[in-house]
Amino acid sequence: LQAGRGKVLDTRADRAAFAAANLPGSLHAPYPGPFFLTAAGSYLDAEDEILLVVEDPAQAAEMTAQLYRIGFD
């Protein structure tokens, strides 16, 4: 991530796990669920580079597709 241009979305569903250990400055955007796209749309800018923290790497492609649908590419 370029300095100042990136955001980390921590997509782990367990809020307690996020609270116990997360990357500094990361945003909790649980996946699956309605808050994933809400968090992305509310806190990300179109120019941001996005790093996803995932529990299940198999879901990363679907998360990326959903972000693309709301304007993040």
Side-chain angles (χ1 to χ4, degrees), residues 1-71:
L1 297 175
Q2 294 180 0
R5 294 207 34 169
K7 298 273 175 44
V8 177
L9 287 183
D10 190 320
T11 66
R12 294 176 291 165
D14 184 352
R15 188 166 203 31
F18 172 78
N22 61 70
L23 295 170
S26 62
L27 303 168
H28 188 230
Y31 184 90
F35 298 112
F36 174 70
L37 290 179
T38 300
S42 297
Y43 297 107
L44 300 178
D45 294 321
E47 302 82 31
D48 286 337
E49 293 181 28
I50 303 167
L51 176 69
L52 298 173
V53 175
V54 300
E55 285 179 301
D56 181 359
Q59 294 177 327
E62 178 58 30
M63 290 179 208
T64 301
Q66 286 188 25
L67 290 169
Y68 183 77
R69 277 187 226 120
I70 64 167

